[in-house]
Amino acid sequence: MPNPQVAIVQFRPAKAQYAANVKRMGAVFTQAANRAAPPDILVFPEAATSGYFLEGGVRDVAVPAGTLFEDLQLQHRESQAPPLDVVVGFYEKYKNHYHNSAMYASLGGDDAQIRHIHRKVFLPTYGVFDERRFIQPGSGVKAFDTRWGRAGIVICEDAWHSLMPTLAALDGARFLFVPSASPARGATAARVVVQEDGEPSIPASLERWERLARTIAAEHGVYVLMAQLVGFEGGKGFPGASVIVGPDGEVVTRGPLFEESLVVAELSDSEVTRVRAEQPLLSALRAEMPNLLNSLHPNGQEEHDFDDGSATVPAGDTALANLSVTEQGAESDPLAIDPELLERWLVAFLREEFTIRRNFQTGIVGLSGGVDSSLTAFLAARALGKENVIGVAMPYASSSKESLEHAALVAELLGIPFETIDITAAVDGYAGATTSPPDETRLGNVMARVRMITLFDLSAAHTALPIGTGNKTERLLGYFTWHADDSPPVNPLGDLFKTQVWALARHVGVPEEIVSKPATADLIVGQTDEQDLGISYARADLILWHLLRGDTAEAVAAGGFDSDEIAVVQKRLESTHWKRRLPTVAMVSQTAIGEYYLRPVDY
């Protein structure tokens, strides 16, 4: 049997557009057929026919496996590609249930058929995931025969449970396909991975995936083909960087970050044989499996060969449990970023969010002269092109002259269109008309809201999408005007602490005079953020970092922070949840929006 050429397809599906995505798969068939050595197998990622985060929209795009097969057969015939096998992740309708499934099918030729359907068993319900609410789990994993030998499929979370790949290998699989849709996480310097081959750094989550794939391959003597989705859904970035790992646990090839591509390799059945002969881990496991299973319940009774907890905990363990957050090996600066990776990540996010998800070409940014709006403009210009980013300065009579100068400086450096609109008359018009004249704080909130009125009206005039500039620290501390600063529908900085904004701004070239000046909302003369907050951003960011990961105030204090400053941050964090949520609506039906009727923001 000849060695098959396999291509992983890093695929960016149109959200909830089943027909359009299947048609694009036909274009991939044509692309593959036109290669000098056409691949024999194409491996698409999880949820390739629809996108992953669908929530209640799963029922809109789920199809029976037979329907998908016929649709792919049609695309294959129209592409005039030679016979090939495909692995396609899709939402499946099966026996009155919905599943997250992957189909292995042979297209073209006399033996065209569906050869196997795997239904995802482990449905994640943590972090950003809530699969089990919308779909049913599968019931197991089996190997199956293909034109090229015996194979197995596990989907994303399935691979993290070591028993699943083991069962597939014990059932004869020599190739293990892992369709996945795993959002990237980890852009801090201590968590990204610098690759040995000189390629750019990758997010920490991808390093964990690659380590998992290598472990599965080496333990079972199988090829592991991990196909990752690409693109952004609701701000969550699917990074690509798919990998093919050989049966010796070494990476054969990997795909690029955040880009659609074909990742091609040749699979050698003789290599599987060689590895299994030299290191017969799988055959040893097969021989011992009956004993291992019997050991779970010997003689029909449970026996425990572990401590019942009555023994004293070893001193070393007690000492470890009592270590402070700083002493537990935490990095000296856990918020240090990999700026090159982060820039690439956010530029890709903006480009896709505008041109693909929302069908806009132009963005509009309110330039305040501060570091947040300046960095946003720099990223937007790189994502959309300088001609497609409009900068708008909106000074009030009491605004700092320096702020307007710095806003103009950023626009000049980037070469973007720039407009200045004085909001004094609009703000004073309201202040003079109301019977309850606003104090400084209220007037500042009026300014912020008038600026958003201006930005959104100009967005309509220019067919441009407003871009938010608020950072994570401001959002967590509630240091923004509700329904003003937080209003723009797209925000590249909202998950970056202020200190990370400063670091990234320096990396992309924001002028130092803007980065290093005291941060200010510039709503009250002489006002600075840190004076208002009662704590520096550097201290607040670190305290927030600890609190968000679940450290108690006592543990944070043990790491060298003053109890008063912890209390300042904790009080602001816990008392401003309402500012980070949509309005509370009284639920009176079983179709309440956001409760029962669930669709993601980009559906």
Side-chain angles (χ1 to χ4, degrees):
M1 181 182 298
N3 294 331
Q5 290 278 340
V6 178
I8 289 178
V9 185
Q10 292 197 171
F11 192 70
R12 178 190 286 109
K15 193 67 169 281
Q17 301 296 316
Y18 169 85
N21 291 321
V22 172
K23 188 174 182 62
R24 285 192 61 226
M25 289 177 182
V28 176
F29 299 163
T30 301
Q31 177 187 353
N34 290 334
R35 293 177 61 91
D40 302 297
I41 306 172
L42 293 177
V43 187
F44 289 85
E46 179 182 13
T49 63
S50 60
Y52 175 72
F53 287 105
L54 296 180
E55 298 177 352
V58 165
R59 67 188 66 178
D60 299 338
V61 299
V63 296
T67 299
L68 176 59
F69 175 69
E70 292 301 326
D71 291 340
L72 291 173
Q73 276 277 76
L74 175 61
Q75 293 300 321
H76 180 261
R77 285 194 296 270
E78 292 182 352
S79 73
Q80 297 184 335
L84 59 83
D85 287 3
V86 294
V87 179
V88 179
F90 71 110
Y91 284 110
E92 181 192 17
K93 188 189 304 182
Y94 175 68
K95 292 186 176 180
N96 301 316
H97 292 294
Y98 297 110
H99 296 276
N100 183 342
S101 301
M103 177 175 72
Y104 188 106
S106 296
L107 305 178
D110 296 335
D111 60 346
Q113 61 182 286
I114 297 174
R115 295 187 180 271
H116 185 67
I117 301 291
H118 173 72
R119 299 178 179 95
K120 190 174 181 179
V121 174
F122 291 97
L123 305 178
T125 55
Y126 55 84
V128 298
F129 306 105
D130 196 15
E131 281 193 47
R132 189 174 282 270
R133 180 172 182 180
F134 306 105
I135 56 179
Q136 294 290 314
S139 58
V141 58
K142 289 182 177 294
F144 55 94
D145 293 320
T146 76
R147 290 164 167 168
W148 310 102
R150 202 151 169 81
I153 298 175
V154 294
I155 301 175
C156 203
E157 182 84 2
D158 288 345
W160 287 89
H161 298 266
S162 58
L163 184 61
M164 296 288 282
T166 298
L167 290 174
L170 288 172
D171 200 22
R174 303 167 83 83
F175 314 126
L176 186 68
F177 300 103
V178 188
S180 177
S182 180
R185 282 95 77 198
T188 56
R191 293 173 176 80
V192 299
V193 179
V194 179
Q195 301 187 78
E196 296 178 0
D197 54 11
E199 291 293 317
S201 301
I202 60 175
S205 59
L206 285 181
E207 186 275 335
R208 293 193 292 272
W209 266 111
E210 190 167 301
R211 178 161 27 96
L212 177 69
R214 295 179 67 169
T215 300
I216 291 171
E219 181 178 354
H220 303 99
V222 298
Y223 279 96
V224 173
L225 301 100
M226 185 184 71
Q228 290 280 17
L229 209 65
V230 294
F232 287 80
E233 296 183 19
K236 296 173 281 292
F238 300 107
S242 305
V243 293
I244 298 176
V245 181
D248 57 359
E250 295 300 316
V251 173
V252 175
T253 186
R254 65 167 63 87
L257 274 175
F258 299 116
E259 297 176 16
E260 289 191 306
S261 70
L262 293 183
V263 185
V264 182
E266 181 178 293
L267 308 189
S268 170
D269 191 64
S270 61
E271 182 68 6
V272 174
T273 303
R274 181 190 67 80
V275 169
R276 291 184 176 180
E278 291 181 357
Q279 195 169 10
L281 296 178
L282 190 65
S283 59
L285 177 61
R286 182 177 286 110
E288 295 299 330
M289 181 63 80
N291 294 329
L292 293 172
L293 292 175
N294 288 335
S295 70
L296 289 175
H297 302 291
N299 301 321
Q301 296 180 348
E302 280 197 59
E303 293 184 3
H304 297 300
D305 59 354
F306 52 83
D307 221 330
D308 62 4
S310 59
T312 304
V313 178
D317 291 349
T318 304
L320 180 62
N322 292 330
L323 285 177
S324 71
V325 290
T326 300
E327 295 168 325
Q328 289 183 40
E331 304 83 7
S332 58
D333 185 0
L335 299 180
I337 61 169
D338 181 306
E340 184 176 348
L341 171 63
L342 197 52
E343 178 191 1
R344 184 176 183 182
W345 194 326
L346 298 180
V347 166
F349 160 72
L350 283 172
R351 183 177 295 127
E352 180 164 332
E353 192 68 22
F354 270 74
T355 62
I356 296 176
R357 298 294 175 195
R358 297 175 185 264
N359 200 27
F360 276 83
Q361 299 299 317
T362 305
I364 187 166
V365 181
L367 288 175
S368 68
V371 66
D372 299 315
S373 64
S374 299
L375 173 58
T376 300
F378 269 72
L379 294 172
R382 294 180 187 183
L384 307 175
K386 63 182 181 180
E387 69 280 3
N388 293 320
V389 179
I390 302 169
V392 183
M394 295 166 282
Y396 179 71
S398 63
S399 296
S400 163
K401 180 182 177 183
E402 180 184 64
S403 295
L404 184 57
E405 292 172 347
H406 284 165
L409 173 61
V410 168
E412 182 180 1
L413 286 173
L414 294 175
I416 63 175
F418 180 62
E419 185 174 357
T420 299
I421 297 179
D422 193 312
I423 64 170
T424 303
V427 173
D428 289 350
Y430 166 75
T434 179
T435 56
S436 303
D439 57 19
E440 281 187 330
T441 299
R442 285 177 54 206
L443 193 67
N445 286 331
V446 173
M447 293 179 206
R449 292 187 175 115
V450 167
R451 286 181 175 126
M452 281 302 113
I453 292 173
T454 304
L455 207 60
F456 274 88
D457 180 62
L458 289 176
S459 75
H462 295 288
T463 315
L465 193 66
I467 307 177
T469 62
N471 62 64
K472 187 172 186 174
T473 308
E474 293 170 344
R475 297 176 69 213
L476 289 172
L477 298 180
Y479 192 66
F480 59 90
T481 299
W482 201 33
H483 298 312
D485 316 50
D486 62 327
S487 297
V490 176
N491 182 348
L493 308 186
D495 200 23
L496 298 184
F497 289 101
K498 184 73 171 188
T499 48
Q500 295 173 326
V501 168
W502 284 328
L504 185 58
R506 287 190 169 96
H507 169 74
V508 303
V510 174
E512 183 61 32
E513 59 196 286
I514 294 177
V515 179
S516 60
K517 71 178 181 180
T520 175
D522 200 18
L523 299 176
I524 301 173
V525 176
Q527 172 193 52
T528 69
D529 294 0
E530 293 182 339
Q531 287 175 350
D532 282 354
L533 295 171
I535 187 172
S536 72
Y537 274 121
R539 302 288 283 179
D541 283 357
L542 284 170
I543 293 171
L544 284 168
W545 181 81
H546 285 302
L547 293 177
L548 291 182
R549 72 174 198 165
D551 294 333
T552 64
E554 292 75 18
V556 178
F561 294 93
D562 182 83
S563 59
D564 290 338
E565 58 186 359
I566 296 171
V568 166
V569 172
Q570 199 166 30
K571 181 179 179 181
R572 277 190 166 271
L573 175 64
E574 294 176 355
S575 65
T576 57
H577 296 312
W578 58 275
K579 295 186 79 170
R580 295 181 287 273
R581 305 289 295 180
L582 291 173
T584 302
V585 174
M587 189 186 77
V588 298
S589 75
Q590 288 188 320
T591 56
I593 299 169
E595 302 294 342
Y596 288 95
Y597 182 75
L598 293 169
R599 296 295 186 277
V601 64
D602 55 355
Y603 189 79

